[in-house]
Amino acid sequence: MSIAAAVAMPVTAVAQSETFPAPQDFSAMVQAKLPSVVGIIATGAEPTEAQRPRPQLPPGLEDFFGMPRPDAPPAGPRRALGSGFIISADGYVVTNNHVIEGASQIEVTIEDDQRITANLVGTDPATDIALLKVEDQDEAFPFVEWGDSRDLMIGEWVVAIGNPFGLGGTVTSGIVSAQSRNINSGPYDDFIQTDAAINSGNSGGPLFDAEGRVIGVNTAIYSPSGGSVGIGFAVPSHVAERIVDDLRDDGQVDRGWLGVQIQPVSDAIASALGLGDTSGALVNDVTQGGPAAEAGVQSGDVVLSVEGSDIADPRDLIFSIADLAIGQEASLTVWRDGQERELAVEIGRQPGSVNVAAQMDTDSDAGEPRLGASVAPLTSELRAQLGLPDTINGLFIQGVAPGSVAAQAGLSRGDVIVEIDNEVADSVSVVRDAMEAAQSENRPVLLRVYRGGTYQFIAVPTQDNDG
């Protein structure tokens, strides 16, 4: 058959009887919401020479340059620009953790470029959410309200407002491209994907639905070029709102913990275990002394449901357990030896749930030195999640409080404290004791830190010592 003959063949027409209204104009909504969207300026301590980026030089040329190098970046405090939004008349502000992490000072810019110093209430690095508080004695702040991201549909209009590249009050629009995206940034990935233009500086800003409700917190982009290519991600409001409420309550986020390592159920594994399909989460290790171990969960069990709700995959189990109350007795249905079994487990608190901001509180225990970092013991689960070798032991830094001695010394999320003053850092009490001893001797404390595949020593001042 020729191409011409193929083109000439009749085509059966499909009636398109349904019509749709044209998209509405967003101008009225944007004008109403703009005053509640703010810029964030996070200023960090001046980087040390070891932390300052160095130019890449051919071998043998390194020693020819004195200090400072002629082509080295200028010295000065580090600054990060981001976005945020006000959620209450008394000045609570939501932004991203990565915008303010490591800052010694945080400022919020409102209308007319007015700057107000903000205090950190708390952070949740796992979802990249931070909560700030600003004060204004004269009048109430304009604020926005949360919507329910679970009601969103793919193709629905959304509007992003923020501070891209420092250009405050920038508005972009697009649609919901996908829901529940996992971009492998953490264990609680559940992002809204949108093609609304999101660029550097939009981080922490709101994603609105067409009616002006916040249905997401803009967090990340996929960008080979560094600019928007129409693939942006936002933390959905049904996740962010719960995290913010928890931070507002006591400055920290408490998540349920089961104490297991899990993996997906493949077709081959399902067949080997006598399962009808691949639903569930296969337990490949149980943490000794954890809630699952106490409840009788064993390696090789497949968790099929929690509190009567089916578990589709490991990610589903992680979210289900995290949302349960600490101390709650929950029912687990597991598959073992070819049959279902019911187990009762008391949900534990996820290790390392520490209030970063509270560690800066000088009203209580005023003489006690504080590191100002949220740390978690390196359990086998956390080590596997972070891809750390079995030889690395210590305390994983989950977050660093702005203005703390940890921030001043250059510690950051992802570092592992291996030793402190030549003592193995295997518990928070070891760190506390070492800092108290260093303070009594009016000297910094010396940390050995694992970072990016290498070790380095970092001197951290105690609260009463500028170092």
Side-chain angles (χ1 to χ4, degrees):
M1 180 182 295
S2 69
I3 294 178
V7 172
M9 290 179 65
V11 177
T12 302
V14 178
Q16 300 289 340
S17 59
E18 190 173 5
T19 60
F20 301 92
Q24 69 179 39
D25 183 280
F26 298 120
S27 58
M29 183 272 283
V30 167
Q31 291 303 314
K33 303 303 177 183
L34 266 173
S36 304
V37 182
V38 301
I40 306 291
I41 302 174
T43 305
E46 181 176 343
T48 65
E49 180 57 32
Q51 296 166 338
R52 188 172 291 124
R54 294 172 177 263
Q56 297 298 312
L57 300 173
L61 292 183
E62 184 76 15
D63 294 335
F64 284 95
F65 291 100
M67 300 300 295
R69 300 170 184 273
D71 51 356
R78 293 169 290 184
R79 296 181 70 198
L81 299 178
S83 305
F85 53 98
I86 305 171
I87 60 166
S88 65
D90 56 347
Y92 281 96
V93 177
V94 176
T95 187
N96 282 155
N97 173 68
H98 78 259
V99 170
I100 56 88
E101 187 173 24
S104 57
Q105 181 183 29
I106 305 171
E107 294 177 295
V108 167
T109 60
I110 58 177
E111 286 188 300
D112 302 324
D113 292 328
Q114 181 184 353
R115 291 188 183 184
I116 305 175
T117 298
N119 297 315
L120 177 65
V121 177
T123 68
D124 182 44
T127 56
D128 199 22
I129 296 295
L131 183 64
L132 312 176
K133 182 69 164 62
V134 293
E135 305 289 345
D136 192 328
Q137 304 298 323
D138 298 330
E139 57 186 27
F141 289 98
F143 62 94
V144 295
E145 296 182 350
W146 296 103
D148 192 342
S149 52
R150 290 168 292 195
D151 295 335
L152 283 176
M153 298 182 66
I154 295 174
E156 187 171 332
W157 283 101
V158 288
V159 174
I161 304 180
N163 189 37
F165 304 110
L167 300 172
T170 296
V171 181
T172 57
S173 66
I175 61 170
V176 175
S177 303
Q179 284 271 52
S180 296
R181 283 295 197 209
N182 180 2
I183 62 174
N184 297 315
S185 68
Y188 303 106
D189 282 12
D190 189 29
F191 293 107
I192 299 168
Q193 181 183 329
T194 179
D195 67 349
I198 295 173
N199 287 287
S200 177
N202 273 114
S203 291
L207 188 69
F208 292 101
D209 63 15
E211 297 180 11
R213 295 168 299 204
V214 177
I215 46 82
V217 183
N218 299 320
T219 295
I221 60 173
Y222 173 76
S223 176
S225 65
S228 174
V229 294
I231 303 178
F233 302 97
V235 179
S237 61
H238 75 269
V239 173
E241 184 177 10
R242 183 182 68 83
I243 297 299
V244 167
D245 287 346
D246 219 353
L247 292 174
R248 193 169 175 176
D249 179 48
D250 61 3
Q252 68 182 33
V253 176
D254 290 330
R255 289 188 174 89
W257 180 57
L258 193 57
V260 293
Q261 287 188 35
I262 51 179
Q263 68 180 67
V265 179
S266 65
D267 289 329
I269 290 174
S271 178
L273 295 176
L275 285 166
D277 56 39
T278 60
S279 298
L282 174 62
V283 177
N284 56 33
D285 195 19
V286 180
T287 302
Q288 185 177 1
E294 297 295 324
V297 177
Q298 299 178 7
S299 175
D301 288 350
V302 178
V303 181
L304 300 178
S305 71
V306 175
E307 287 289 275
S309 297
D310 292 341
I311 298 300
D313 51 35
R315 187 163 167 255
D316 204 8
L317 179 60
I318 290 172
F319 280 106
S320 296
I321 295 298
D323 285 341
L324 295 178
I326 311 302
Q328 174 182 344
E329 186 173 282
S331 61
L332 298 183
T333 302
V334 303
W335 181 264
R336 182 191 299 170
D337 298 330
Q339 61 182 352
E340 292 185 3
R341 297 174 182 247
E342 298 295 325
L343 300 176
V345 59
E346 183 176 327
I347 301 301
R349 175 177 282 104
Q350 192 176 86
S353 297
V354 180
N355 182 352
V356 180
Q359 297 188 36
M360 298 175 62
D361 184 6
T362 57
D363 293 334
S364 60
D365 300 325
E368 180 183 343
R370 298 181 183 274
L371 182 62
S374 160
V375 297
L378 262 185
T379 62
S380 57
E381 300 155 281
L382 188 55
R383 186 181 285 105
Q385 177 187 322
L386 299 169
L388 294 173
D390 293 339
T391 54
I392 304 302
N393 294 289
L395 298 174
F396 172 70
I397 296 182
Q398 294 184 308
V400 177
S404 64
V405 293
Q408 296 170 27
L411 292 172
S412 61
R413 170 174 163 79
D415 291 346
V416 178
I417 303 173
V418 177
E419 296 177 0
I420 180 165
D421 278 352
N422 296 319
E423 294 288 333
V424 176
D426 55 3
S427 68
V428 175
S429 62
V430 171
V431 176
R432 184 183 300 113
D433 292 346
M435 292 198 68
E436 288 178 352
Q439 184 186 52
S440 68
E441 298 170 10
N442 194 30
R443 62 171 175 81
V445 69
L446 187 63
L447 304 183
R448 186 171 182 242
V449 171
Y450 181 82
R451 174 189 292 172
T454 62
Y455 294 93
Q456 60 183 281
F457 285 98
I458 297 177
V460 179
T462 55
Q463 199 77 349
D464 292 338
N465 178 31
D466 293 330

